[in-house]
Amino acid sequence: MADKKKNEKELSYAELVAKRDDLKKKYMDLRFQMVIGHVDNPMQKRTMRREIARLNTLIHQQDLAKFRNAAREAISAK
């Protein structure tokens, strides 16, 4: 699990967004399968939801870092 987190932190912004979007699609498919009743591991829904939240956090952190760098450059340019 720790290796997975380290690898995700090293991904670029575009890679994080693409991975999140892919997981969201898989999550929606899993939800549909749960309604139908063809799911082998119901705990998979929770782990996918948490993984999406983890990716959202990493994306948000990168957004904030870009915003802070832009703000520093704007202040130093004055």
Side-chain angles (χ1 to χ4, degrees), residues 5-73:
K5 289 180 186 177
K6 286 181 183 178
N7 291 341
E8 287 175 351
K9 288 182 181 181
E10 296 168 358
L11 293 176
S12 71
Y13 183 83
E15 291 170 332
L16 286 171
V17 172
K19 189 171 182 179
R20 180 195 60 188
D21 292 343
D22 183 47
L23 266 176
K24 279 185 173 184
K25 288 178 187 175
K26 288 180 183 178
Y27 179 73
M28 294 303 287
D29 290 341
L30 182 66
R31 284 182 57 199
F32 181 71
Q33 289 174 2
M34 288 189 85
V35 169
I36 294 173
H38 299 301
V39 177
D40 295 331
N41 183 5
M43 293 299 290
Q44 186 179 8
K45 185 177 174 186
R46 180 195 295 177
T47 57
M48 287 181 90
R49 198 171 59 238
R50 289 180 179 178
E51 182 67 23
I52 291 168
R54 190 175 296 114
L55 290 171
N56 280 333
T57 300
L58 293 172
I59 290 168
H60 184 68
Q61 287 174 347
Q62 287 191 10
D63 282 340
L64 288 176
K66 288 178 188 177
F67 177 74
R68 287 183 185 125
N69 289 338
R72 283 188 195 118
E73 290 176 8

